[in-house]
Amino acid sequence: MMNLKFIENDSYLEPFRYTIEQRYRNFILREVGFTENRRKLSEAFNSYLYYGMHHTEEGWIFREWAPHAMAIYLIGDFSEWQKREEFRLKPLEYGNWEICMPLERLKHGMKYRLLIEWEGGCGERIPSHVRRVVQNEETKAFDAQVWFPEAYKWENTYRKALKNPLIYEAHVGMSTEEKRVSTFEEFRTQVLPRIADLGYNTVQLMGIQEHPYYGSFGYQVSSFFAVSSRLGTPEDLKRLIDDAHGRGIAVVMDLVHSHAVKNELEGLSCFDGTYDQYFYPGERGNHNLWNSRCFDYGKNEVLNFLLSNCKYWLEEFRFDGFRFDGITSMLYWDHGLGRDFTEYKFYYDGNQNEDAIIYLTLANRLIHEVNENAVTIAEDMSGMPGLAVPIDEGGIGFDFRLSMGIPDYWIKLVKEKRDEDWHVGDLFYELTNKRQDEHTISYAESHDQAMVGDKTLIFRMVDKEMYTSMNVFERNMTVDRGMALHKMIRLLTIMTAGDGYLNFLGNEWGHPEWIDFPREGNGWSYEHARRLWHLVDDTNLRYRYLNAFDRDMIRLVKKQDIFRFRPEPMVRDNEQQVLIFSRGGLLLAFNFNPSQSFSDYRFGAAPGKYVEVLNTDSKVYDGFERIREPVPHFTLYDESSGYNELSLYLPSRSALVLKYDD
């Protein structure tokens, strides 16, 4: 039964009670329909165990779903890529096709495709459930590959409940310094140790599902069950995940179920000669802005495909959860484009794709049945209420939602406001204005903020001076400002975060410039699709100080377990640009004033002793060390005010973290 706590917690939802209840009832009807003869939803979806190429003791079995096909043939190395009757699939019920072959017919590594014939035409296709595809370097075309290696032997397990993800978002392909695509193995040996040293407890991997165009960042998926062969083999990915688990790090996958690539040879579009096999018919089946196809979430066969896909990545690769990409596009028929969601009515006005909402709810139910400790994260720009509310309380069931307005706010401040005009009251409000009944993850910048046409935060603040003045032998006012604000922005973001924090690959140490994958417009260059690790490793450069700060910040957050508490405002001094708040046993004082330091800044505080645990102005973080030796701070009782007061020296453009020590 549904507990309407979701509505009770927010009276503004009361006018939409019927719609919320109806969504839940529709979800239950679909769930019951799938679980009629089973105990759990997760037991109903195993398409990857039925479709595709399978090796058995008796021989090879291949199956495909193509309801409008008139004939299907396997073609490949084994048939000299010719259509042969012995490799013709036989039709089964419900649009399914099957072929059984003796073991000696196929060998590991052979390439193949499907030749599908339909009324009025035919075409070569990559199977829908293929687990391994490879790209021809000369033609750039993809082929399916028979894949039956020796079974991977797992060494580590990770079954912890991840209450507060500290996420290191990463794209494996761009993680090397060299001008090429990096590999899972290189990431495992060269980057994973860096992540572990910094203290992040979660790695979020992008671009894992196979995609024809590398420049899409992995968001134009063609083969949903295949690991991108550019990065290595499925076994390489398993080894990476296994290693991460051995280091106590969860691995979350960036899952793209919001759309699919339009390509017909590699993808699902026009798979059996029709355009609505997997996708909505007509214009609803096309995402014009993304130039991609939109799944028909009302079709049982499509739900089977997508829900089985969730289960596959959890069971086969032991991923610890998913970030669901681009779900705003799924939630609304108009994909949420050009709309400002300023009123609750826009979440319940009939523009919502209720089938997609039911799919997301089913996916959350299934994922948590497969692994009760798995985490699901929603990337939604619209702010739809209930995304991260438990299903049986009327929500969609995600564990977390991304606070997507926060990086936009930081960018707007840096771009449009003078430092003197930063309003600390607005700052604190924007960073803490979250739905109290939903778990959220904050971030100052992800990969989105640095995509081509934009810049990383530090490059926006330092710009061309990064090319000439990041050395340790000279001081530069522009660099000093950028580094000071870089530390303060990250510290304030994580210390006001609801339940977790995210950082993108290399941004912790101020990776410069922007991200731009190889494409025709840049001459297919890898110049900006890589990470310049030598910058942070060079002791003559200042990047290492930002790296050291990020490491100590993350470790402090974990040690103090700050997410068990909420931020409590103490001082919001807009005139002096001083912001002070507490979180648990920590007291945080930010002076955003670009020029004025305060030698005796007094404010009311709980009586007792406070000791410094982090200072952005410290020399170890390339600060000016205006507080030379940390000393304990004691409150004094002020008879005139009747309050206990703390007096602090607050240097300009710096932040101080104190720990209450009774």
Side-chain angles (χ1 to χ4, degrees):
M1 294 293 293
M2 179 171 65
N3 175 352
L4 294 178
K5 187 178 178 183
F6 169 46
I7 300 175
E8 293 166 3
N9 287 341
D10 188 345
S11 60
Y12 290 103
L13 290 169
E14 188 60 43
F16 312 105
R17 176 183 289 268
Y18 176 79
T19 302
I20 294 169
E21 290 178 338
Q22 190 60 41
R23 283 179 182 173
Y24 180 77
R25 284 191 288 267
N26 290 340
F27 158 73
I28 291 296
L29 286 173
R30 295 306 293 271
E31 183 182 37
V32 169
F34 289 127
T35 59
E36 188 176 2
N37 299 314
R38 300 172 180 86
R39 290 185 299 110
K40 292 183 177 181
L41 185 70
S42 57
E43 296 174 359
F45 297 101
N46 300 288
S47 69
Y48 61 94
L49 299 178
Y50 182 78
Y51 297 111
M53 186 74 73
H54 298 280
H55 180 280
T56 71
E57 292 183 0
E58 291 76 27
W60 297 93
I61 298 177
F62 177 86
R63 300 186 188 94
E64 187 57 82
W65 177 60
H68 292 277
M70 299 181 67
I72 301 180
Y73 298 85
L74 283 178
I75 60 172
D77 294 336
F78 44 83
S79 69
E80 298 178 330
W81 294 93
Q82 300 298 311
K83 168 183 166 182
R84 293 184 179 174
E85 199 63 27
E86 63 181 305
F87 295 110
R88 178 171 179 153
L89 280 66
K90 65 178 181 180
L92 305 176
E93 293 181 309
Y94 311 115
N96 293 319
W97 298 76
E98 179 185 82
I99 185 172
C100 300
M101 296 166 286
L103 288 174
E104 62 270 15
R105 189 72 75 179
L106 303 179
K107 288 182 171 50
H108 174 70
M110 279 185 168
K111 297 176 184 177
Y112 69 100
R113 293 179 184 170
L114 299 178
L115 175 61
I116 301 181
E117 298 178 351
W118 54 80
E119 186 175 351
C122 66
E124 293 183 7
R125 297 289 184 263
I126 300 297
S128 63
H129 285 69
V130 66
R131 301 193 187 189
R132 172 74 172 170
V133 295
V134 290
Q135 188 174 24
N136 186 299
E137 286 299 319
E138 294 181 2
T139 66
K140 302 303 180 184
F142 282 86
D143 295 309
Q145 191 172 33
V146 177
W147 199 253
F148 186 66
E150 190 174 320
Y152 181 81
K153 295 179 181 178
W154 294 89
E155 296 181 2
N156 302 292
T157 57
Y158 184 95
R159 288 288 176 175
K160 300 177 185 176
L162 195 61
K163 289 185 177 180
N164 303 114
L166 299 170
I167 301 172
Y168 196 93
E169 181 187 46
H171 187 288
V172 170
M174 62 171 287
S175 65
T176 181
E177 180 140 354
E178 298 180 32
K179 296 179 183 180
R180 59 173 175 80
V181 180
S182 188
T183 67
F184 291 126
E185 186 62 15
E186 288 171 324
F187 186 91
R188 183 183 74 82
T189 58
Q190 299 171 22
V191 182
L192 193 58
R194 294 179 185 267
I195 300 170
D197 178 65
L198 290 168
Y200 289 86
N201 60 20
T202 308
V203 173
Q204 180 177 299
L205 295 180
M206 306 172 62
I208 296 300
Q209 295 166 293
E210 189 60 87
H211 46 287
Y213 179 44
Y214 186 54
S216 75
F217 221 112
Y219 290 131
Q220 295 272 345
V221 175
S222 54
S223 297
F224 286 77
F225 291 84
V227 174
S228 178
S229 58
R230 295 183 186 90
L231 310 178
T233 68
E235 289 65 44
D236 292 336
L237 174 57
K238 290 176 181 178
R239 190 172 296 107
L240 190 166
I241 296 171
D242 202 4
D243 193 340
H245 287 168
R247 298 173 184 268
I249 299 174
V251 186
V252 169
M253 176 177 164
D254 216 39
L255 188 70
V256 183
H257 281 181
S258 48
H259 63 135
V261 73
K262 267 190 173 180
N263 299 36
E264 295 180 4
L265 168 60
E266 299 93 350
L268 299 172
S269 187
C270 196
F271 187 78
D272 66 354
T274 61
Y275 286 94
D276 58 355
Q277 181 184 353
Y278 286 93
F279 309 106
Y280 287 114
E283 277 307 300
R284 275 192 171 173
N286 294 306
H287 196 304
N288 293 326
L289 181 64
W290 292 350
N291 193 32
S292 57
R293 303 301 315 278
C294 300
F295 284 108
D296 184 345
Y297 303 102
K299 258 188 178 181
N300 281 352
E301 294 88 349
V302 174
L303 290 179
N304 185 27
F305 179 83
L306 295 174
L307 291 169
S308 296
N309 192 238
C310 294
K311 185 177 178 181
Y312 166 75
W313 291 107
L314 290 172
E315 293 206 324
E316 183 68 21
F317 291 89
R318 300 191 182 182
F319 275 102
D320 302 293
F322 304 101
R323 187 201 79 148
F324 277 72
D325 173 72
I327 68 169
T328 308
S329 176
M330 302 169 64
L331 295 173
Y332 306 96
W333 288 117
D334 64 2
H335 309 301
L337 299 173
R339 304 188 76 194
D340 292 323
F341 293 86
T342 54
E343 298 180 50
Y344 273 32
K345 66 181 181 181
F346 296 129
Y347 303 118
Y348 307 99
D349 61 359
N351 181 43
Q352 294 69 39
N353 183 342
E354 299 295 338
D355 288 333
I357 291 172
I358 289 174
Y359 162 66
L360 291 171
T361 312
L362 289 167
N364 276 293
R365 180 83 96 198
L366 176 142
I367 290 165
H368 293 105
E369 285 181 358
V370 175
N371 178 1
E372 63 181 359
N373 292 324
V375 295
T376 55
I377 304 166
E379 187 209 32
D380 168 45
M381 299 179 67
S382 74
M384 176 179 277
L387 276 180
V389 167
I391 294 169
D392 294 325
E393 292 180 13
I396 296 177
F398 284 96
D399 296 297
F400 303 92
R401 64 187 306 157
L402 292 175
S403 294
M404 300 189 70
I406 290 176
D408 293 339
Y409 183 74
W410 282 123
I411 290 290
K412 185 175 181 180
L413 267 184
V414 170
K415 284 176 66 174
E416 301 177 7
K417 297 278 189 180
R418 297 184 313 149
D419 291 4
E420 294 83 357
D421 297 331
W422 286 26
H423 190 289
V424 296
D426 288 348
L427 248 181
F428 189 78
Y429 173 79
E430 292 291 342
L431 269 63
T432 57
N433 181 28
K434 307 175 181 74
R435 297 188 64 83
Q436 295 304 306
D437 55 352
E438 301 191 48
H439 297 306
T440 57
I441 294 172
S442 295
Y443 56 107
E445 55 182 337
S446 68
H447 69 280
D448 284 328
Q449 282 65 49
M451 291 297 282
V452 61
D454 219 324
K455 304 173 182 177
T456 60
L457 266 175
I458 193 150
F459 195 64
R460 187 172 294 283
M461 294 187 287
V462 180
D463 207 61
K464 64 181 184 298
E465 302 292 338
M466 293 198 81
Y467 300 124
T468 59
S469 304
M470 285 296 288
N471 63 79
V472 298
F473 308 111
E474 61 178 311
R475 281 287 182 182
N476 177 284
M477 291 179 62
T478 300
V479 172
D480 288 339
R481 170 186 177 267
M483 291 194 63
L485 288 177
H486 191 272
K487 290 177 284 187
M488 294 178 73
I489 286 170
R490 277 165 165 69
L491 181 63
L492 185 53
T493 300
I494 197 170
M495 288 298 179
T496 55
D499 306 274
Y501 175 76
L502 179 143
N503 163 70
F504 180 69
L505 179 74
N507 284 0
E508 70 279 2
W509 51 264
H511 199 285
E513 300 181 328
W514 54 88
I515 300 170
D516 187 8
F517 274 61
R519 56 189 174 87
E520 188 174 6
N522 65 15
W524 304 103
S525 171
Y526 286 87
E527 184 66 35
H528 294 288
R530 58 192 183 123
R531 295 284 93 169
L532 304 177
W533 298 109
H534 78 275
L535 295 177
V536 70
D537 293 335
D538 190 336
T539 57
N540 293 321
L541 299 177
R542 301 171 74 175
Y543 297 95
R544 61 189 174 95
Y545 295 114
L546 296 179
N547 193 73
F549 177 78
D550 196 80
R551 181 186 62 234
D552 291 350
M553 179 184 75
I554 293 294
R555 291 179 176 181
L556 175 64
V557 165
K558 292 168 70 175
K559 183 178 180 180
Q560 297 300 320
D561 200 9
I562 68 162
F563 296 112
R564 291 195 298 120
F565 313 95
R566 298 294 92 179
E568 300 292 342
M570 299 171 67
V571 176
R572 284 170 283 192
D573 184 344
N574 293 313
E575 183 177 350
Q576 306 289 359
Q577 293 183 283
V578 171
L579 172 65
I580 302 173
F581 62 96
S582 65
R583 187 156 196 179
L586 297 181
L587 186 149
L588 302 104
F590 289 79
N591 180 8
F592 279 99
N593 198 303
S595 58
Q596 190 173 356
S597 300
F598 304 101
S599 59
D600 184 20
Y601 196 93
R602 293 176 177 267
F603 58 96
K609 174 184 174 183
Y610 294 82
V611 295
E612 179 184 313
V613 290
L614 192 67
N615 181 1
T616 65
D617 198 46
S618 172
K619 189 174 182 179
V620 297
Y621 311 131
D622 199 37
F624 291 95
E625 203 160 71
R626 286 166 285 185
I627 302 176
R628 292 182 181 273
E629 293 184 16
V631 295
H633 299 269
F634 295 90
T635 54
L636 295 173
Y637 181 73
D638 187 329
E639 292 185 1
S640 62
S641 67
Y643 292 105
N644 288 282
E645 291 187 339
L646 200 60
S647 173
L648 296 178
Y649 172 38
L650 299 179
S652 61
R653 205 178 271 145
S654 71
L656 184 66
V657 184
L658 304 175
K659 181 178 180 295
Y660 181 73
D661 185 3
D662 57 357

